[in-house]
Amino acid sequence: TAEYYQTLFNEEVNYNTDIVKLDDTSETWQNQYAEQLLDDTAVVNVTYANTISEQLNDTMGSLNVVVVVLIVSAALLAFVVLYNLSNINVSERIRELSTIKVLGFYPNEVTMYVYRENIFLTLLGILFGYVLGYFLHIFVINTVELDQMMISRTIHLNSYVYSALLTLLFSSVVMMAMHWKLKSID
């Protein structure tokens, strides 16, 4: 209130903004009205809510492109990292896996012997990713947000589900590739 402002700052309130609700929102009428207002030297700027809404949609469209690039980059990085880690794991344990095969384990049993570790590490990575992703989301939203608009900080449940499914998909593709390598162990 004006009284509370005066108690805080010890000066009179000087209003410098008027909010007007228009009945006619056609673009030509808005342009004419803005020109009339700007002819007055006391008016510095005229902004329409629908213009801000369009700017927000443009910004969100640009942000969607960035999100797609991040998802594709993360997918490629996940595949490369998971493949290399699995490859190193198998290469370092080649004698152990050969011994298991000599003892009579079938190829699928040998594969599951290695996969159990990968499945556990994938699930652990998903859980850590949820926590780290939450804080990364807060950082990105605070960085992208403008003074004129506030972006929702809500993360929907389907975002968590999709991220987990994508991670499981990448891990499964790597595990299928490793299965052929494990079958070829003599």
Side-chain angles (χ1 to χ4, degrees):
T1 63
E3 294 81 21
Y4 186 63
Y5 180 90
Q6 190 170 5
T7 58
L8 284 178
F9 297 105
N10 294 325
E11 61 183 54
E12 290 290 322
V13 176
N14 183 12
Y15 295 108
N16 60 4
T17 302
D18 285 327
I19 298 176
V20 180
K21 183 177 180 181
L22 304 176
D23 292 330
D24 187 359
T25 57
S26 67
E27 187 174 343
T28 55
W29 192 88
Q30 285 182 351
N31 290 339
Q32 290 172 354
Y33 186 64
E35 286 176 16
Q36 289 175 359
L37 288 173
L38 290 172
D39 285 342
D40 186 351
T41 56
V43 177
V44 176
N45 188 19
V46 176
T47 305
Y48 292 105
N50 56 354
T51 306
I52 295 173
S53 177
E54 290 169 7
Q55 290 173 347
L56 175 65
N57 288 335
D58 290 344
T59 302
M60 294 309 288
S62 300
L63 192 59
N64 286 339
V65 171
V66 171
V67 168
V68 169
V69 168
L70 284 174
I71 289 173
V72 169
S73 300
L76 294 172
L77 181 64
F79 183 78
V80 168
V81 168
L82 287 172
Y83 183 80
N84 284 336
L85 287 175
S86 296
N87 199 17
I88 291 169
N89 185 17
V90 170
S91 297
E92 288 187 357
R93 298 170 66 186
I94 198 82
R95 287 188 177 95
E96 176 187 351
L97 297 171
S98 298
T99 304
I100 289 174
K101 277 189 158 188
V102 168
L103 291 173
F105 281 71
Y106 293 106
N108 288 341
E109 292 173 322
V110 174
T111 300
M112 283 309 297
Y113 179 73
V114 174
Y115 280 8
R116 281 187 196 96
E117 297 170 5
N118 289 351
I119 291 169
F120 174 75
L121 291 174
T122 299
L123 295 175
L124 192 64
I126 289 170
L127 292 176
F128 276 116
Y130 284 163
V131 174
L132 295 176
Y134 174 77
F135 291 109
L136 180 62
H137 173 261
I138 290 172
F139 172 75
V140 167
I141 293 300
N142 287 336
T143 303
V144 170
E145 201 168 60
L146 303 173
D147 292 336
Q148 294 86 3
M149 66 180 157
M150 190 171 165
I151 300 173
S152 174
R153 288 168 168 73
T154 304
I155 304 174
H156 298 284
L157 180 63
N158 61 356
S159 298
Y160 289 109
V161 172
Y162 291 151
S163 65
L165 290 176
L166 283 173
T167 304
L168 290 172
L169 174 71
F170 301 143
S171 183
S172 298
V173 169
V174 168
M175 286 187 220
M176 285 189 286
M178 280 296 118
H179 177 68
W180 299 109
K181 183 169 184 164
L182 291 170
K183 280 178 78 172
S184 68
I185 292 176
D186 188 9

